[in-house]
Amino acid sequence: MLILLPPSEGKTPAPSGPAVDLGSLSFPQLEVARKEAMEALAEVSGREDALAVLGVGASLAHDVERNRRLATEPAAPAHAVYSGVLYGALGYAGLTPAQRRRADDWVVVVSALWGAVGFADRVPAYRLSMSASLPGLGRLAGYWRPLLAEALADRAARELVVDCRSSTYAAAYAPPPAGTVTVDVFRDRDGKRSVVSHFAKHHRGDFVRHLLTRRGKAPATPEALLAVAREKWEAELLPGTARRPHSLALVLRD
């Protein structure tokens, strides 16, 4: 199984340790592109208009300044650096050793800076969104799209893809729809269904945790994934088409 996650906006810097080794990260064919992105980000982050270009406020100026030192900043496993709501619900630190190995094997984070990294890959904290544009690279979703299509092609062809990304990060890579299931969260109130936005990250993280901690074989088809979801949630599966992936709806009722 291949579980695609978005990065968290906020990240936890490593307190100490060696810097990132681009050659050691998963999907080594992305090494040159990662180096280009890191250099472009460092250049932008030193400009007077850095905050405007990166689309962040003055309160994040320290994070932007760190972007200039990413080649020497301490790195930590991706599961420790990414620390938002989704990752809190996933709760890597509370997994057993066997469950952590499963997470390291299954989870890939699609990143504006790294393209895609495995959960155990060591990276520094940074500030960059997939919606940004960097000099020489252009819009990052477009920059990474052909590179990720090639880097992830083999795994996506062999494994069920569980896509928990936001639309911003989904724009950088589209897995084969026949074997891909997006995860959406809805709230049902008196028969009226609405999309859950603010807490969707939490429920997606909780769903990934369930996949990692449950006993039994990993689901290999969209229908099997639906059965797994129904172990804990009310869930429905909207079949995909030749161009659109399947959609798993987790339904919350008040």
Side-chain angles (χ1 to χ4, degrees), residues 149-159 173:
E150 180 178 354
L152 296 171
D154 182 59
R155 284 197 62 177
R158 292 184 290 106
E159 303 174 18
Y173 171 61

Side-chain angles (χ1 to χ4, degrees), residues 53-126:
V53 173
L54 297 177
V56 299
S59 63
L60 298 175
H62 179 73
D63 289 353
V64 173
E65 175 61 27
R66 188 190 299 114
N67 286 343
R68 304 177 67 185
R69 308 186 303 269
L70 294 183
T72 57
E73 281 287 297
H79 59 72
V81 171
Y82 298 120
S83 52
V85 172
L86 187 155
Y87 292 89
L90 190 157
Y92 185 94
L95 300 178
T96 67
Q99 291 164 356
R100 291 183 184 183
R101 288 192 294 272
R102 181 179 283 185
D104 294 346
D105 183 45
W106 288 357
V107 176
V108 168
V109 182
V110 173
S111 161
L113 182 58
W114 316 115
V117 290
F119 229 25
D121 287 350
R122 299 180 66 85
V123 296
Y126 62 95

Side-chain angles (χ1 to χ4, degrees), residues 8-28:
S8 56
E9 291 185 11
K11 301 170 184 69
T12 302
S16 61
V20 63
D21 176 5
L22 295 180
S24 72
L25 301 180
S26 302
F27 313 107

Side-chain angles (χ1 to χ4, degrees), residues 159-216:
E159 303 174 18
L160 177 68
V161 180
V162 180
D163 193 347
C164 296
R165 296 174 296 163
S166 62
S167 58
T168 301
Y169 287 86
Y173 171 61
T180 300
V181 183
T182 61
V183 180
D184 302 298
V185 184
F186 297 89
R187 185 173 300 281
D188 191 300
R189 286 182 176 150
D190 300 324
K192 296 182 179 180
R193 187 168 295 185
S194 60
V195 176
V196 173
S197 54
H198 180 66
F199 292 107
K201 293 178 182 179
H202 170 84
H203 292 291
R204 288 188 181 111
D206 194 22
F207 179 64
V208 173
R209 181 178 179 85
H210 181 59
L211 290 173
L212 298 173
T213 58
R214 64 182 294 275
R215 295 183 177 182

